[in-house]
Amino acid sequence: WYTSGTQIARMDPYSNPIAASDDLQVRILSYALVHGMYVKLLFWPVFLCYDYSQDAVPLVQSTGDLRMLLPCAAYLVFFLAICASLQALRNMRKSLALRLQAEAPALGLAIFALSFLPMT
């Protein structure tokens, strides 16, 4: 009741065109593109913008859009980092000091993933 759930009462299509889209596939693909853009900005912060309204991120209409390579690469790198971190945890069972060194990347990846949850 205090925040009216997670929806904004009067959301116009110009404020958030992705949320205003009726097509579920377009919304999923467009949110994936936003994830890819955020990862790109994390590593290469050339164009920082405080407002992504008014088609600053054009909607992705199909899976054949070349812009989808960005989120695919971001998800792939994140998945490979998780696999490498879990492999390091599995291999470092013997020594406590080595295990603590292997837990740091796993904890960092978990915090990174949890920080993206409110945005999805």
Side-chain angles (χ1 to χ4, degrees):
W1 63 273
Y2 182 69
T3 61
S4 299
T6 58
Q7 294 183 352
I8 298 173
R10 290 176 288 180
M11 173 69 70
D12 59 345
Y14 298 110
S15 297
N16 191 349
I18 297 174
S21 175
D22 292 330
D23 190 4
L24 179 64
Q25 180 183 3
V26 169
R27 281 194 313 241
I28 290 171
L29 293 174
S30 298
Y31 281 133
L33 178 64
V34 170
H35 286 164
M37 290 174 63
Y38 284 159
V39 171
K40 182 187 85 169
L41 287 174
L42 182 67
F43 292 105
W44 191 36
V46 173
F47 178 70
L48 298 176
C49 180
Y50 66 92
D51 185 18
Y52 286 111
S53 63
Q54 303 247 346
D55 284 338
V57 179
L59 296 176
V60 179
Q61 301 292 337
S62 71
T63 56
D65 194 338
L66 286 178
R67 294 177 296 164
M68 290 307 294
L69 291 175
L70 184 64
C72 289
Y75 293 150
L76 179 66
V77 167
F78 186 68
F79 177 74
L80 292 175
I82 288 174
C83 289
S85 176
L86 291 176
Q87 184 67 27
L89 280 175
R90 188 179 318 152
N91 291 340
M92 301 297 174
R93 290 185 185 173
K94 299 166 183 82
S95 170
L96 179 63
L98 293 176
R99 181 164 176 84
L100 290 176
Q101 287 179 352
E103 286 176 352
L107 181 63
L109 288 170
I111 291 171
F112 181 76
L114 289 175
S115 69
F116 271 87
L117 283 180
M119 159 175 89
T120 56

